[in-house]
Amino acid sequence: MSFNDGVELDPSQVEDRRGGGVGRGTKIGGGIGGGVVLLLAALFGINPQLLGGLLGTGQEQPAQSTGTPLNQCKLGSDADKDLDCRIAGTVNSLNVFWPAYLADYNVKYPRPKAVLFEGATRTGCGTATSEVGPFYCPADTTAYFDPGFFQDLVTRFGSSGGPLAQEYVVAHEVGHHIQNILGDLDKAQQDPQGAESGAVRVELQADCYAGLWTRYATTQKDPKTGKPFLEPLKQQDLNDALSAASAVGDDRIQKAATGRVSPEGWTHGSSAQRQKWFYQGYKTGDINQCDTFSAPTL
């Protein structure tokens, strides 16, 4: 899903920490097999506080802001050519869409932060490595992205790629921010594992919220220019997003890593479920239809 060329981006909404180092602190991940555990348990929306308990990572560390804005990202045409700018443009679109949408429910939207990093970075939830994939930390209300993940999404996990596949990832993480605002995010920690667990329901709801944003992204206007951020959706765009959702299903990742599927260990839902709930948000455009916690079947 391409950006309209003349849309003006706000690069200050994304901080680039690459090349700045992480300093000392606790590490999320690491150790023999840590990457496998993280990929199975946490890919696409990890709550690092939960992983801290699972992996024994110790006390939380304060986040550090040591990066710079993406000043090269000025127009929608930059987002079409450059992944960093596409992330920034998607964040911009989400930060215009969600305040307006939630206002109808009398809910205020404190703008989340977004950070690009590589290797490792310090967060309000501890020091995270790239192994965990994209994640949202509720302690500092920040979504973190290592852009190298988007290539892994294709080469390692078998997604078809494409702009909307990448934009879906960003929208999913901001979906966790919406859950944090609405008080639903902690349900993942209260019931952290299993096919019908709170963790799975939290992740599927974030997928639904990503689909909901997709429904309106092509009409949501840049307040500076009055133009929609994104061009009309094509079927291939939707296929790309659904492919990304399928690629990070628990069943698919478990099968690839261990040769078998163990629903009792799920934390994010199956490939089919992730596709289903993304499409539910896209099809209905209604946040009330994203209530995975009341759904009798997922």
Side-chain angles (χ1 to χ4, degrees), residues 47 50 179-180 182-193 196-203 205 209 267 291-294:
N47 183 332
L50 173 60
Q179 293 172 315
N180 196 27
L182 298 178
D184 292 324
L185 190 58
D186 285 346
K187 293 176 182 177
Q189 295 186 42
Q190 296 165 7
D191 182 17
Q193 204 169 46
E196 299 286 331
S197 65
V200 167
R201 292 175 188 272
V202 163
E203 295 301 331
Q205 186 178 63
Y209 288 170
T267 59
D291 184 6
T292 54
F293 304 103
S294 298

Side-chain angles (χ1 to χ4, degrees), residues 91 94-95 98 109 112 143 169-179:
V91 169
L94 287 157
N95 284 339
W98 278 113
Y109 174 83
V169 175
V170 180
H172 175 99
E173 299 311 328
V174 174
H176 285 309
H177 181 63
I178 303 303
Q179 293 172 315

